[in-house]
Each structure stands twice: as C-alpha cells, then as structure tokens.
Amino acid sequence: MKKKERNLYLSNVDVEEALDLYFRRIDENLQGLNVEKVSVIEAQGRVTASPVFARFSSPNHNASAMDGIAVKAKSTFGASEASPIRLKRNKDFIFIDTGDPIKEPFDAVIMIEDVVEVDEETVEIIKAASPWQDIRPIGEDIVAHEMIVPSHHTIRPVDLGALLSGGILEIEVYAKPRVGIMPTGTEIIEPQESMAEGKIIESNSRVFEGLVKEYGGYPKRYKPVEDNYELLRQQVLEAVEENDIVIINAGSSAGTEDYTVKLIRELGEVLVHGIATRPGKPTILGIVQGKPVIGIPGYPVSAYFVFDTFAKPLIAKYLGQRVSNRPRVEAVVSKRIVSALKHKEYVRMKLGMVDQQLIATPLNRGAGATMSLVRADGILIIPQNSEGVEAGERVQVELLKDIHDIHHTIVSIGSHDLIMDIIGNDMHRQNAAYHLSSAHVGSLGGLMALRRGEAHMAPIHLLDEEHGEYNISFVKKYLANLDMALIKGVKRIQGFILQKGNPKNIKNFHDLIRDDIQFVNRQRGAGTRILVDYRLKESKVDIEAISGYEREMTTHMAVAAAVASGAADVGVGVLSAAKALDLDFIPIGDEAYDFAVPQKYLDNGVIELFIHVLKSQALKESLEELGGYKLDHTGEIILIN
C-alpha cells in the first residue's frame, strides 16, 4: 500500500441493515456451534447445547417431610383430645428424621411437635393422621427421565442444585467463543510504559476484554501493533487462526496509515465499511477464512458503541443466545440536542428524578470522551433522519444503571467545580443508596433548569455588577415564582491560569490583547464568563481584540487542560484547577460558589446529607489539600422570596 494512498468508505449503511447483512453471511460460514462437556459444578453462566434429562428421581424414595414418627394411618384413626391414642415403639411407630425413607407398613408421618412421649417405648397422639401425610413421594421434585433444563438455557445457581439432585455430573454446553483483540497504532503505549508527547495509553482492548468476559466469551488480547502493513498482516493471520472472532481496534478510518480495511479485503472480504452512526461511522465488517473480523474505530466512545452493537450479538450468537434489550424509561430532556440527519446517534445521558419526573441531561458527545461513558446513567438513541430532540421533549432512554439508584440521586445542574465530585463521593460513602449527578451548563443554565423543574439544585457564582454581590439577586430575578433557598458554599479564588513559569509574562487583562497571547474562555452563562466580561469592561479592554475570546470551555479543568497542553496561553478559572495541573496562577479576586435549592427540597433526605457533607470536617480537609477555597458560613441556609 502506498504511503499516501487513502481509504474510501464503501458505504454509509444503516445499522440494522449492516447487522442483517453481516449475520446472514456469518450463518453461511458457520457449520454449527462448537459444543463441549463441562462439570455441572463449573457450569454456572454456561449455555446448554442440548436438553438435560434427570438420571434419578428426587427424592428417589418415599421420604419423611418432617422430624417425627412414622405410623400406620389406620392405627391413628379416632384419636382426639377427648380420646387420645397410645402407640408402641417398633409396633405402631418408629422415630424418624426429615428425609428418612418411609417403608411398609408405615404410610404417614406425625411431626414431633404433635407427639407426647409417655415413656421410652410409648407415645400419645390426640389427632389422627391421614394416609401419606407429611411424606414426600418418590419423584415429588424431579422424576427420572424428566427434562431439568432445555437447550439454549443459561445455567443459574438454582439450576445447579436441580441438575445435581437429578444425578447429572456433566452437561453439554456451547463452547465459549474465543475473541482475539488486536490494538493497533504507532502512537499507543502500554499503561506501564513511559509517557511521551504524541503517545496515548492503550485502554480500549482492556474494555473489550472485560466486555467479552461479561458476554460469555474468552478474550485473547495481543500486544499493540504499530502501523506497519506487514506486521499488521502477520498479526491478523495469527489472530484469525487462534480465535473464532477477531476485533481490530483503530486503523479503520480513511487516514494514510489506516490499513485495516485493505488488510481484511486482501485476506478475505469486506462487507461493510462505514455505518450510519455517530459515534462509530468508520466501522468495518469483514470475514477472513470464514471467521468474522470487525474493524472498530480507535476513539473510546466509538469503540464501546461499535463493540456493543456488533460484537455483543455476535458473541451471543456463538453461544446460541440472543441479546436482551436494555430496560427503557421515559424521561424529559433538559437541554436541546441537535443531531445530523444522516446518522443514528448514541447520546450519553445523566438521569435523575425531580418531582416524580425523570430528567435526562446530555453529557459530552465527543467520540473520545471516555468519562461520558463512566458518568452515563443511560443512552438516548436518536434515529437516522432526525434533526434531534428539543428541551422538554419526552424520550425513551436505555438504562445503563439501576433505576433505584437514579431515584435516589440529586440532580445538580449549573456551574462546575471539583467540590461537586468530592461531595458526591463522600455522600455515596456515607450512604450507598444516595448519589449526586452533576451536569455542567453554567450558572445561568442551572437557574433556568430550576425554573423548568428539571433539577434539585443549581451551583452558581453570579456577580451582580451593579451591587458587587454574588448570587442572591440572580435567584430573585430568575426564580421569583419559587420559594427558594441559597445554601452557602465556598469562597473560591479566581484568577489567570497560566503556563508554568508564566513564559509570556502575563500580568493583567490588558495583556490579553497582545498579538502573541492566545486566550481560552468559559461558555456563555457561566459565572466565570460573567466575571471575565465584568473585569474586561472595568479595564476598558476591547473583547474583539482578544484572540480566543470566542473559544469556550465548559469546566475550569478544561480551561486548565487547554493551557497545560499549550493550546492556550491563559484562561480564567479557579486556583484548585491550576494546582491540579501544576500551572501558574495570578489571583483576580474571590467569588461565592453557592447552591440554589427550592425550599421544598430542604427536607429531602438526600439534600440533608448533601448539607451534612458540605459542613463536614472531611470536606474541609479535602479542600485545604486542593487549595484555593475559603470556608466562610459554609452550609448556612438563606431563605429567598
């Protein structure tokens, strides 16, 4: 392959069409699923390849169901409190324990609690026994030759007991498919290797390993292969030889060193290159030597969804199973989501219950935003040919987490700060049933979410330029129709976040208009953005002259990361973000970071725990370690309106 030769997408195939095409071709190559025998005691989670029939009955004899005495029913007839009957040991009765065989001439059991011992040889009863009373007949539970479990059945712990009781020691199951996982790319390194500029820690294959195990297969991960055509070719051939399914991660796009599609085409057949989804478009579905080979994009979110869409049902197929649909819930979208018409889109969502209404807030939609998968409670699937979803629209969300956890979650929408992650962790540590869901849309966006009834609280830090005070006037202005409270949070030190050593000698807002300065801003509606605009106006600095003023980040850490990477020379944010990335910092003032909460939620147990954690010594110590915070009146509640 020539160095500068580029791949061209063969298709932009609908997901369902791609699945149907691929699985039909796989069926043509499958001569039948592999079967193996395993010990019953090691069979949990395995899928039966054939029905299993009992060898023995259970119980395999008429057995006592109680501790007591075995009797001849006829000899007890007429017994009552007024006319008790006495029975002689070994003649009229024998003592018996639960599970003991019942043999002639005895045909009933009286439990020991209903027996009065007169002496060692004599008992007295006051109630007659009916024939076969408290006796488990042969085969009451399992009859010999009865089916215990059918084929295509996933063995559960309760099934193990039934199989063993029926005398089964081994069963035939579908062999777990072996899934070869090939990470590729010259830029990737193993986690233990030294990090250098331009290198990326390889992690997708470890996610795939975990998913293969979860879905019932055997993963075989190969060491990362650099973007060398011959090396990749050798590794693909080895993986195909050793496995039932092969996953090639990265190299599936249209770059000059994306060799996956040409390799699969040379060694076998490419059925699909390019599916109509976002993320995940450059997916490759191929067959080599009769075995499925899937080329999965390298971005983590793309990789996850493509694996979930194609590899998961493929593994299930080799196990003789079908993939169960995730449970779905109806939720109200808190923020407009615009989608491209030509793609089916998977949007990660945070969920929370507010006033008996499930609220869904979209997370970062980037294909490389790994943390959006970690934080997601569910997935909103926007179909192809849809322009998106409007705020307030009701949608179906596929659940990734237990709905019980979501019902016990504070929905916090507003300004971002590291303190929210710390509080959420401490809350969950103190009460595992409670969670904190924090979505970052800026302070004003948080107040609007409260007004629409889509959140329990809004973290805010909004400066009233006229009076020089924080937050209260904005709550009164935008939430005048609600009985509100302001939970006092922390004082944060805001300032210039600068590259280490401040190489460009930035001192004040006037320096931002220099030709050699690249600025990075916060999004409109963010409290920091309002502060920046206030100080620029105060300093009489023309925003049109600032390079990067329109470049927006949604968190303080994103601003710090942009500066640390060299993508910007300066941004405005909190001291803790600068310290976290070992950057320089010039303070420009303190601000109040507080929490706007409708008064009706103050008695909610999860909000009470939030306030408790906010006032705790543990939080104080954590913030002292981070630096950049002052705790004055933290946790105090101011009632508004």
Side-chain angles (χ1 to χ4, degrees):
M1 183 175 184
K2 296 178 181 178
K3 180 69 175 177
K4 295 302 180 183
E5 182 181 345
R6 283 195 176 271
N7 295 310
L8 296 177
Y9 290 122
L10 302 180
S11 54
N12 189 46
V13 181
D14 175 81
V15 173
E16 284 69 27
E17 182 183 345
L19 279 166
D20 180 65
L21 170 64
Y22 198 39
F23 278 65
R24 277 193 286 108
R25 288 302 304 276
I26 289 168
D27 284 339
E28 293 173 8
N29 289 284
L30 277 177
Q31 300 302 312
L33 301 179
N34 294 328
V35 175
E36 62 183 4
K37 282 190 175 183
V38 298
S39 164
V40 165
I41 60 175
E42 296 176 350
Q44 183 174 336
R46 302 301 296 271
V47 181
T48 56
S50 56
V52 182
F53 298 91
R55 292 174 57 216
F56 307 134
S57 294
S58 178
N60 66 353
H61 57 271
N62 296 325
S64 174
M66 299 285 179
D67 293 339
I69 60 172
V71 299
K72 293 173 283 188
K74 283 184 179 181
S75 66
T76 70
F77 292 167
S80 66
E81 290 186 16
S83 180
I85 291 178
R86 291 193 173 189
L87 304 173
K88 290 296 182 178
R89 187 172 183 175
N90 295 327
K91 176 186 175 185
D92 301 314
F93 80 92
I94 59 172
F95 284 104
I96 200 163
D97 295 325
T98 302
D100 285 349
I102 301 296
K103 297 181 179 179
E104 293 184 351
F106 303 112
D107 62 358
V109 172
I110 300 175
M111 62 181 177
I112 197 67
E113 291 89 339
D114 294 335
V115 175
V116 177
E117 292 190 53
V118 177
D119 56 40
E120 290 185 357
E121 299 298 322
T122 308
V123 298
E124 188 175 85
I125 59 172
I126 60 173
K127 184 180 180 180
S130 58
W132 295 97
Q133 170 182 296
D134 289 331
I135 294 176
R136 298 184 65 209
I138 293 173
E140 179 190 56
D141 184 17
I142 300 171
V143 177
H145 309 300
E146 175 187 7
M147 183 191 296
I148 300 176
V149 292
S151 59
H152 296 263
H153 175 80
T154 302
I155 299 297
R156 306 162 297 171
V158 292
D159 300 323
L160 300 179
L163 290 164
L164 294 172
S165 296
I168 306 301
L169 301 179
E170 286 187 332
I171 58 173
E172 286 189 336
V173 296
Y174 289 114
K176 291 185 176 184
R178 298 185 177 276
V179 182
I181 301 168
M182 271 184 57
T184 73
T186 303
E187 74 282 6
I188 63 174
I189 59 173
E190 298 281 35
Q192 66 272 18
E193 295 183 53
S194 298
M195 176 59 73
E197 185 176 358
K199 296 297 182 181
I200 299 171
I201 294 174
E202 200 287 311
S203 60
N204 286 343
S205 66
R206 301 303 183 182
V207 175
F208 296 160
E209 276 187 314
L211 291 172
V212 170
K213 291 176 184 176
E214 182 179 319
Y215 301 155
Y218 283 123
K220 180 177 177 60
R221 177 194 185 261
Y222 296 90
K223 291 182 179 180
V225 185
E226 64 182 77
D227 293 319
N228 177 291
Y229 191 78
E230 286 306 316
L231 292 177
L232 289 166
R233 185 177 185 278
Q234 293 171 21
Q235 187 64 88
V236 170
L237 288 172
E238 180 183 337
V240 169
E241 178 68 26
E242 296 177 345
N243 299 280
D244 302 300
I245 301 166
V246 176
I247 305 296
I248 306 174
N249 188 214
S252 66
S253 193
T256 56
E257 293 187 343
D258 289 331
Y259 298 139
T260 303
V261 70
K262 181 173 175 59
L263 275 168
I264 297 174
R265 188 179 292 118
E266 177 188 324
L267 300 174
E269 179 183 9
V270 173
L271 278 75
V272 174
H273 183 203
I275 55 173
T277 68
R278 190 171 69 177
K281 176 179 170 57
T283 297
I284 304 166
L285 304 177
I287 294 176
V288 176
Q289 296 179 17
K291 297 179 180 179
V293 178
I294 305 177
I296 294 183
Y299 279 125
V301 178
S302 299
Y304 173 83
F305 282 113
V306 172
F307 194 96
D308 188 69
T309 302
F310 294 99
K312 182 178 181 179
L314 189 54
I315 293 169
K317 183 179 188 63
Y318 275 71
L319 290 169
Q321 294 287 77
R322 287 185 177 274
V323 175
S324 298
N325 293 328
R326 295 189 183 101
R328 292 190 174 199
V329 293
E330 185 177 78
V332 175
V333 176
S334 66
K335 183 180 179 182
R336 187 185 186 205
I337 304 172
V338 178
S339 183
L341 289 170
K342 62 182 180 178
H343 295 119
K344 178 180 184 178
E345 185 166 5
Y346 300 88
V347 185
R348 286 77 73 198
M349 309 294 285
K350 287 298 292 182
L351 297 170
M353 186 67 71
V354 182
D355 289 340
Q356 306 306 310
Q357 183 170 254
L358 204 58
I359 303 299
T361 301
L363 293 165
N364 190 326
R365 295 163 72 186
T370 306
M371 286 304 296
S372 68
L373 287 173
V374 175
R375 294 186 175 122
D377 298 319
I379 303 296
L380 170 62
I381 299 177
I382 301 178
Q384 195 175 1
N385 300 318
S386 170
E387 294 182 348
V389 179
E390 294 296 330
E393 188 173 336
R394 293 187 175 275
V395 296
Q396 292 291 315
V397 178
E398 291 188 359
L399 286 178
L400 297 176
K401 294 183 180 176
D402 193 305
I403 190 65
H404 177 79
D405 292 339
I406 294 167
H407 280 196
H408 291 82
T409 297
I410 293 178
V411 179
S412 172
I413 300 178
S415 175
H416 167 262
D417 190 272
L418 295 173
I419 191 175
M420 300 303 291
D421 295 329
I422 298 171
I423 292 175
N425 180 70
D426 284 354
M427 286 177 61
H428 189 59
R429 180 173 54 81
Q430 292 190 34
N431 188 327
Y434 288 161
H435 303 265
L436 172 63
S437 165
S438 182
H440 314 138
V441 299
S443 297
L444 284 176
L447 293 180
M448 295 303 100
L450 285 177
R451 190 161 75 174
R452 293 191 300 268
E454 296 170 352
H456 296 114
M457 72 165 53
I460 58 174
H461 56 111
L462 294 164
L463 173 63
D464 184 334
E465 298 180 19
E466 182 178 350
H467 300 98
E469 68 174 8
Y470 272 91
N471 300 328
I472 292 178
S473 63
F474 285 87
V475 174
K476 289 180 177 179
K477 177 180 178 181
Y478 290 103
L479 302 173
N481 61 323
L482 297 175
D483 291 328
M484 293 296 301
L486 193 71
I487 302 172
K488 297 298 293 179
V490 295
K491 291 288 184 66
R492 304 192 303 185
I493 303 174
Q494 286 265 25
F496 291 127
I497 296 177
L498 307 158
Q499 293 176 11
K500 192 69 174 175
N502 192 10
K504 298 206 173 170
N505 195 29
I506 298 169
K507 296 179 180 178
N508 53 48
F509 282 95
H510 292 283
D511 288 325
L512 301 185
I513 63 174
R514 284 165 34 192
D515 292 340
D516 64 332
I517 301 299
Q518 184 68 36
F519 182 66
V520 62
N521 210 347
R522 287 293 305 279
Q523 80 275 25
R524 292 170 179 82
T528 300
R529 176 67 167 262
I530 293 172
L531 174 63
V532 167
D533 290 345
Y534 173 71
R535 295 300 297 271
L536 288 171
K537 182 179 178 182
E538 184 182 61
S539 302
K540 296 183 172 55
V541 174
D542 181 10
I543 62 174
E544 298 292 335
I546 300 174
S547 177
Y549 177 86
E550 298 298 330
R551 185 183 177 198
E552 300 178 346
M553 298 290 172
T554 58
T555 69
H556 294 280
M557 287 301 295
V559 170
V563 174
S565 69
D569 300 303
V570 59
V572 174
V574 294
L575 174 58
S576 58
K579 288 188 66 175
L581 296 186
D582 193 27
L583 297 168
D584 274 16
F585 186 83
I586 298 175
I588 61 174
D590 294 349
E591 66 171 9
Y593 184 81
D594 301 323
F595 308 96
V597 179
Q599 292 180 25
K600 62 184 178 180
Y601 298 138
L602 291 178
D603 293 332
N604 187 309
V606 69
I607 296 293
E608 290 177 335
L609 180 58
F610 176 88
I611 296 171
H612 173 74
V613 170
L614 185 62
K615 297 165 72 173
S616 69
Q617 180 64 27
L619 180 65
K620 181 179 179 181
E621 292 172 0
S622 296
L623 296 183
E624 286 175 351
E625 185 176 342
L626 283 174
Y629 297 93
K630 298 177 183 178
L631 284 76
D632 298 330
H633 308 289
T634 299
E636 290 185 7
I637 300 174
I638 300 172
L639 301 181
I640 305 173
N641 300 343

